[in-house]
Amino acid sequence: MGIDDFRLARFLPYRLAVLSERISRRLSAIYGAEAGLSVAEWRVMVHLARCREVSVREIHNCVNLDKSRVSRAVTRLETAGLVQKTGSPTDQRLLAISLSPEGWHLLDRIVPPTVDYEARLLAALSDADCAALDTIIEKLHRVLDADPEARPRSVLDLPQPPDAGDASAPNDATIDRTP
Amino acid sequence: MGIDDFRLARFLPYRLAVLSERISRRLSAIYGAEAGLSVAEWRVMVHLARCREVSVREIHNCVNLDKSRVSRAVTRLETAGLVQKTGSPTDQRLLAISLSPEGWHLLDRIVPPTVDYEARLLAALSDADCAALDTIIEKLHRVLDADPEARPRSVLDLPQPPDAGDASAPNDATIDRTP
DNA sequence: TGCAGTTTGTTGCATTTGCAACGATATCGT
DNA sequence: ACGATATCGTTGCAAATGCAACAAACTGCA
């Protein structure tokens, strides 16, 4: 079997990339049409909706975006009036970023159709498929987790324990005490 | 259920993007270390290995890369001596792009470890998982196929019919007579 | 034949990206 | 208390990207 038997179309990393990008592009047509949100901005805003007031680093740790990408996304969002940047009183380095009222309104309009589209995708899958997909994604991640050469996984992307004692606060991020 | 119940970490498009990017980055460390290949260049070369002599458009149609991205990738590869650009004799617009001997040598060194890594990923999956994954990917693609707003799928990314009458030529691309 | 319309590959341009370096602040160790 | 170290967010820069415009080459139909 020579090199030329290699089939891109059967190559798992390629297949995932293609599917993922196709979905991403379709989605960004949804939340990009309303406001001109990029993927980065979308992730930041959605994360803020859950975590209310977080720093750049926390966003960076949670939503798989480069530090500078988050920084720039936040700047753009602030200029657009969708987000507020306040300096933390306790730590002068930190930034307290939160959604503005306009930001919330925008999310109100943008999240539902986005979720609908996800539902449309999921509707094509059986319950067994969905379960299998969870398993598969997790298994693949674990291979990468075990590989020192691979980029580590964000905390929030770890499988969530089935939510034992809910503390009424959506603090997925507070787990973040690694250093 | 408010907007703030939305969980990025459970959002399928996000999860696919994260997994896919993690894998891609790890992989490009493999074929990027040997030569400085980018994803685009990698896809182009691998495609050339199968199809021998193709035009920019064909590559573009087959490996999910923008026309200009292919064009530039080919230019870089040519400069690096990995690829040859010859004008087609029959159609002066077309370019006949093919791997140079050096290109083949590079692939010899690069494809095996890449395939090994894929194997490492697949090893984490059971046979049932693999089958399920195939199904799932295909089902999700079909949702997008049915969606006029979504970018169409490349011909080569369609599921391959189990290869009825093999014409001894690896012409995945020849199916391409859509216009 | 001749001319409108298409196709092919490249390029200009504005934007995005990742990485590293940086200044500012905080923390730790002694 | 003070200097070495670490952390936070921003920015410079070079490379990559997507889109549209483009020239050159082909096609088709009158």
Side-chain angles (χ1 to χ4, degrees):
Chain A
M1 28 95 236
I3 292 304
D4 51 350
D5 289 330
F6 179 79
R7 290 205 178 200
L8 203 51
R10 296 218 186 295
F11 187 53
L12 180 62
Y14 171 79
R15 295 208 290 157
L16 285 177
V18 168
L19 176 60
S20 165
E21 205 204 311
R22 199 140 94 113
I23 296 179
S24 275
R25 291 190 92 89
R26 177 59 181 88
L27 264 191
S28 73
I30 295 180
Y31 55 66
E34 190 70 34
L37 288 194
S38 73
V39 176
E41 288 152 0
W42 153 259
R43 288 194 193 171
V44 167
M45 290 199 66
V46 160
H47 183 70
L48 287 177
R50 270 192 78 72
C51 295
R52 299 306 156 86
E53 195 162 289
V54 283
S55 68
V56 169
R57 180 189 57 90
E58 261 165 328
I59 305 181
H60 155 64
N61 281 341
C62 292
V63 301
N64 266 283
L65 292 174
D66 187 80
K67 222 181 14 163
S68 59
R69 224 169 139 196
V70 174
S71 173
R72 293 191 237 251
V74 168
T75 302
R76 279 188 299 263
L77 289 173
E78 194 197 20
T79 312
L82 299 169
V83 138
Q84 294 147 350
K85 278 205 270 193
T86 320
S88 156
T90 81
D91 188 331
Q92 298 280 55
R93 296 170 301 180
L94 257 60
L95 230 43
I97 301 157
S98 59
L99 289 173
S100 71
E102 295 81 7
W104 283 105
H105 291 333
L106 180 64
L107 278 186
D108 276 340
R109 276 176 293 147
I110 273 181
V111 169
T114 307
V115 170
D116 284 352
Y117 202 84
E118 185 198 22
R120 205 161 136 190
L121 289 170
L122 291 175
L125 305 182
S126 68
D127 288 353
D129 287 335
C130 287
L133 186 54
D134 277 352
T135 314
I136 291 167
I137 291 180
E138 183 55 25
K139 283 180 175 176
L140 293 176
H141 267 303
R142 280 209 237 272
V143 176
L144 296 159
D145 292 340
D147 181 351
E149 302 268 5
R151 173 166 303 201
R153 174 152 51 146
S154 318
V155 215
L156 281 195
D157 295 328
L158 292 167
Q160 302 283 9
D163 203 9
D166 176 59
S168 89
N171 270 353
D172 305 313
T174 325
I175 321 172
D176 177 47
R177 291 288 167 261
T178 359
Chain B
M1 28 92 237
I3 293 304
D4 51 349
D5 289 331
F6 180 79
R7 291 205 179 201
L8 203 50
R10 295 217 187 296
F11 187 54
L12 180 63
Y14 171 78
R15 296 207 290 158
L16 284 178
V18 168
L19 176 62
S20 165
E21 206 203 311
R22 209 166 166 222
I23 295 179
S24 275
R25 292 191 90 90
R26 176 60 180 89
L27 264 191
S28 74
I30 295 181
Y31 55 66
E34 191 70 36
L37 290 195
S38 71
V39 176
E41 287 151 2
W42 153 259
R43 287 195 194 170
V44 167
M45 291 198 65
V46 160
H47 183 70
L48 287 177
R50 270 191 78 73
C51 295
R52 300 308 159 88
E53 195 162 288
V54 283
S55 67
V56 168
R57 180 189 58 90
E58 259 164 331
I59 306 181
H60 155 65
N61 281 343
C62 291
V63 302
N64 265 284
L65 291 174
D66 188 79
K67 221 177 21 160
S68 59
R69 226 170 138 193
V70 173
S71 174
R72 293 191 235 251
V74 168
T75 302
R76 281 189 299 261
L77 289 173
E78 194 196 21
T79 313
L82 298 169
V83 138
Q84 293 148 351
K85 278 204 271 192
T86 320
S88 156
T90 81
D91 188 332
Q92 298 280 56
R93 296 170 301 178
L94 258 60
L95 230 42
I97 301 158
S98 59
L99 289 173
S100 71
E102 295 81 8
W104 283 105
H105 292 330
L106 180 64
L107 278 186
D108 276 338
R109 277 176 293 145
I110 272 181
V111 170
T114 306
V115 170
D116 285 352
Y117 202 84
E118 185 198 23
R120 207 162 135 190
L121 289 170
L122 291 176
L125 305 181
S126 68
D127 288 353
D129 287 336
C130 288
L133 187 54
D134 277 351
T135 314
I136 290 166
I137 291 180
E138 183 54 25
K139 283 180 175 177
L140 292 176
H141 267 304
R142 279 210 238 272
V143 175
L144 295 159
D145 291 341
D147 181 352
E149 301 268 5
R151 172 167 304 201
R153 174 151 53 147
S154 318
V155 213
L156 280 196
D157 295 328
L158 292 167
Q160 302 284 8
D163 203 10
D166 175 60
S168 90
N171 268 354
D172 306 311
T174 324
I175 320 172
D176 177 46
R177 291 288 167 263
T178 0

